[in-house]
Amino acid sequence: MLKHERVFVYPDCRIGLYDNFIQYVVVPGEAGTIEIDGRVLELKPEVLRKELGEPSLVADDGIVYRRGQNALKIFLDANGKLTSVHLFSALAD
């Protein structure tokens, strides 16, 4: 839709670029694991909370961690099951 937007789709994630700059990374819950700061973690809310600590924000659809200019949101369904993890610019929220 946007001339300068590109999305790379991989089996375990999607990466969105705009003008060759990464805008977001989405990891679906089905991927099973995620690598954060060189550590491979299970995609389970309790595992990620233990690793990441106290969230910056708790929303109806998940929990958010802000670090500098970046935000990581763990999306949860109504039962608390992790559906996906999104990394994006905290400046664009």
Side-chain angles (χ1 to χ4, degrees):
M1 187 151 75
L2 298 173
K3 181 178 170 182
H4 301 284
E5 183 179 36
R6 294 172 46 196
V7 177
F8 291 93
V9 179
Y10 300 96
D12 59 351
C13 71
R14 285 189 330 266
I15 302 170
L17 292 100
Y18 186 80
D19 275 341
N20 294 322
F21 291 98
I22 295 175
Q23 297 298 304
Y24 64 86
V25 177
V26 176
V27 179
E30 298 82 33
T33 61
I34 189 169
E35 185 175 334
I36 299 175
D37 294 334
R39 293 180 46 107
V40 177
L41 306 167
E42 284 185 274
L43 280 173
K44 294 183 178 178
E46 63 275 10
V47 171
L48 296 175
R49 275 192 151 184
K50 183 177 179 184
E51 181 70 22
L52 299 172
E54 193 64 32
S56 303
L57 173 71
V58 177
D60 291 338
D61 60 351
I63 53 179
V64 178
Y65 294 90
R66 288 182 167 200
R67 301 290 187 269
Q69 296 180 349
N70 296 314
L72 182 128
K73 184 166 184 178
I74 300 167
F75 283 88
L76 306 170
D77 68 13
N79 297 316
K81 181 181 177 197
L82 187 146
T83 59
S84 62
V85 176
H86 296 219
L87 174 68
F88 54 94
S89 171
L91 303 175
D93 67 346

